[in-house]
Amino acid sequence: MPLLPRLIRPRRIYRGWWIVFSGYMALTISGGATSFVFSVLVKPMQDDLGWSRATIVGILTLAGIVSGLLAAPIGPLVDRHGPRALMTGAAIVGGLCFLSTSQVSEVWQYYLLLGLLEAATRPALDTVGPRASIANWFIRKRAPAFAFFTMGRATAGLFLVPPIAYLVEQTSWRSAWVVMGLLQLFLLAPLCWAFQRRRPEDEGLLPDGDSPVAGPRAEPSTGARPAPRVFEDVRWTVGQALRTRTFWLLNLGILLVNFPGASIYIHMSSYFQDKGMEAPAAAGALSVYALGALIGRAVWTSIILRLGLYRALVAFAVIYGSGILVFALVTGPWALVAAALALGISIGGSAQLQAQIWPDYFGRRIVGALSGYGALMVIPAGR
């Protein structure tokens, strides 16, 4: 009879997937607020405040510089101490900045809040923090783990943009910043504190949820269990990685990808409206692009698993470049929506590949440092 309860007992979810989930929510709320959600707020803010589009969108260039400069010192801290405290604190600070942005009336206030203070939270929440922890908790299942994590920003485009656009239509853009601030304070911050941890070995676990290799039996007198064997993948020091040509070539590729990719969805809603779409239709078209990015995660996960990371990088460069070309050339609302869907699918591999290259090439223990130092090279791609 003891067998029956054992059979029907639900299998416990590996803790690493909760790490992925909290990182996914960070990218949905924090990353979504400054990308897809921001895109639908540009025109309402422009009309209400009387600022130029360059002034409103220019905040992203400053934010990119600030987050890139701070990622370098944050990365080694995450490797050494884990992302829990940094991500939780960043979520609180970022949430307060979003709430305060709802009250701005001067350009300097806007740039102080989003260009400096909130931008300082992005390395911990959007890139360095969750990437480092996920890389440490997964090795064999790294591709699907990073695929789920990087779905966060696209999830914001698909599920947050329509209600936010409706809220703006019924009230004002200020309400949208209040909602994003409350989500970050009362949902994201508790999730980061509850789930984020540095490495599975710190918790007596192994990467991917693997079981310890059979070892000596527990002592009958003490009941002590053998310590889990640590699975080691490739291991480099930061200094060794920085001295390789591979590190710099990979960063050059990331830079070239981010030149167009960092700004496409920011301007997409306004671009659709300039092409004659009404604001709700433009928000819907932006969600189609986000849907394509979500579909793209599954597509690129399959490509990575079949071709390997190296060939997948080459395939991405060809497909992504073709997607941008088609999107730039088509005209007409339906053709634009179809091109946006295709471009979303192609760009779906960008964040996943960028997150996975560092642990796959150089090992999981220096992902934070390499992500942080690499962010310095991507600063010129600021929007």
Side-chain angles (χ1 to χ4, degrees):
M1 291 303 295
L3 180 62
L4 183 59
R6 189 179 304 172
L7 289 174
I8 64 175
R9 186 183 304 160
R11 185 178 178 182
R12 187 175 182 181
I13 298 175
Y14 172 54
R15 186 162 188 169
W17 291 112
W18 293 110
I19 302 283
V20 175
F21 176 71
S22 56
Y24 161 83
M25 291 303 297
L27 208 55
T28 300
I29 298 172
S30 173
T34 54
S35 57
F36 283 101
V37 172
F38 183 84
S39 177
V40 300
L41 300 181
V42 171
K43 197 166 182 62
M45 291 177 69
Q46 182 182 353
D47 294 340
D48 182 44
L49 296 169
W51 301 345
S52 68
R53 185 180 299 180
T55 298
I56 295 173
V57 176
I59 193 78
L60 301 177
T61 300
L62 176 60
I65 294 172
V66 171
S67 61
L69 291 174
L70 288 178
I74 287 175
L77 288 176
V78 171
D79 288 334
R80 192 174 303 117
H81 302 292
R84 184 189 190 192
L86 281 169
M87 290 184 69
T88 304
I92 293 171
V93 172
L96 293 174
C97 287
F98 289 154
L99 287 176
S100 301
T101 300
S102 70
Q103 304 301 313
V104 299
S105 57
E106 302 291 338
V107 173
W108 70 265
Q109 299 169 340
Y110 174 63
Y111 272 72
L112 173 65
L113 289 168
L114 292 189
L116 293 176
L117 298 178
E118 193 278 331
T121 70
R122 296 185 193 180
L125 287 175
D126 297 0
T127 53
V128 175
R131 286 183 185 182
S133 59
I134 292 170
N136 274 284
W137 282 79
F138 293 91
I139 296 177
R140 291 183 296 100
K141 301 175 183 177
R142 190 171 284 157
F146 273 128
F148 181 47
F149 158 62
T150 56
M151 284 169 56
R153 205 183 302 268
T155 299
L158 187 61
F159 294 108
L160 282 181
V161 164
I164 289 294
Y166 178 79
L167 179 66
V168 171
E169 190 84 9
Q170 298 300 312
T171 57
S172 77
W173 59 269
R174 298 181 186 275
S175 302
W177 287 116
V178 171
V179 170
M180 299 311 298
L182 293 176
L183 284 174
Q184 193 145 313
L185 283 172
F186 296 106
L187 179 58
L188 180 56
L191 283 174
C192 291
W193 183 257
F195 295 128
Q196 282 294 328
R197 296 296 186 273
R198 188 183 65 149
R199 295 191 185 113
E201 293 86 352
D202 299 341
E203 310 296 319
L205 302 171
L206 290 179
D208 301 304
D210 289 342
S211 299
V213 173
R217 297 178 64 86
E219 292 292 335
S221 58
T222 63
R225 300 174 62 185
R229 179 178 67 86
V230 177
F231 184 97
E232 293 296 344
D233 56 351
V234 292
R235 294 192 66 174
W236 293 64
T237 66
V238 175
Q240 289 172 337
L242 294 180
R243 287 192 293 270
T244 64
R245 182 174 61 179
T246 300
F247 174 79
W248 300 102
L249 288 176
L250 287 173
N251 273 296
L252 177 60
I254 293 172
L255 173 64
L256 294 176
V257 167
N258 282 349
F259 266 124
S263 59
I264 286 176
Y265 50 74
I266 295 299
H267 298 280
M268 190 172 281
S269 179
S270 299
Y271 176 73
F272 286 141
Q273 292 179 63
D274 291 342
K275 289 291 185 178
M277 290 186 183
E278 297 294 328
L286 183 62
S287 292
V288 169
Y289 171 76
L291 174 62
L294 283 176
I295 296 171
R297 296 304 191 273
V299 172
W300 285 102
T301 298
S302 177
I303 291 174
I304 292 170
L305 293 175
R306 288 176 178 272
L307 301 182
L309 183 67
Y310 319 123
R311 292 186 179 91
L313 286 167
V314 177
F316 170 74
V318 174
I319 295 173
Y320 179 49
S322 302
I324 292 176
L325 181 62
V326 170
F327 182 75
L329 293 178
V330 299
T331 57
W334 290 109
L336 280 170
V337 171
L341 177 65
L343 181 59
I345 294 173
S346 67
I347 205 173
S350 176
Q352 182 175 353
L353 289 165
Q354 290 181 39
Q356 194 170 337
I357 54 175
W358 303 128
D360 277 23
Y361 272 88
F362 300 107
R364 61 193 175 107
R365 294 180 179 270
I366 57 171
V367 170
L370 295 187
S371 298
Y373 295 140
L376 292 173
M377 284 190 64
V378 185
I379 288 177
R383 308 173 181 95

